[in-house]
Amino acid sequence: MKSKVISLKFVSESAEPVGYLMVETDDEKFARQTALRWGESKLDLPFARVELHQGVLDSPDLDSDIFNGVRVWELPF
């Protein structure tokens, strides 16, 4: 059975998306916290907040990275 991920987006002050990340969890609060920390250390563009993008999905068949012990997938912009 596939694990679950939560799809999130990083949004600028002007409400434009500046990046997307999936976090392996079904806990939205944990996913947002992980994405916030990931964005602060990895994202080149400034962002104002992290928002839910596509919600809970099955994990993708793509290579993942490990960030703070959690599998994450940065999505192409």
Side-chain angles (χ1 to χ4, degrees):
M1 188 170 139
K2 284 194 166 218
S3 58
K4 295 296 182 186
V5 299
I6 294 184
S7 174
L8 301 155
K9 66 181 172 181
F10 299 92
V11 181
S12 70
E13 287 288 344
S14 61
E16 292 295 316
V18 295
Y20 298 90
L21 187 73
M22 290 190 290
V23 179
E24 185 177 47
T25 183
D26 59 1
D27 179 336
E28 185 179 335
K29 183 178 178 183
F30 176 76
R32 284 177 186 259
Q33 291 170 342
T34 301
L36 182 62
R37 288 193 302 272
W38 181 91
E40 288 170 346
S41 67
K42 305 279 189 184
L43 205 58
D44 293 334
L45 298 169
F47 64 95
R49 61 191 177 278
V50 175
E51 295 180 352
L52 205 56
H53 178 50
Q54 294 179 326
V56 179
L57 308 166
D58 286 335
S59 62
D61 292 325
L62 302 169
D63 288 338
S64 63
D65 292 320
I66 303 293
F67 179 76
N68 287 355
V70 181
R71 288 176 67 197
V72 296
W73 294 260
E74 181 180 10
L75 301 178
F77 203 101

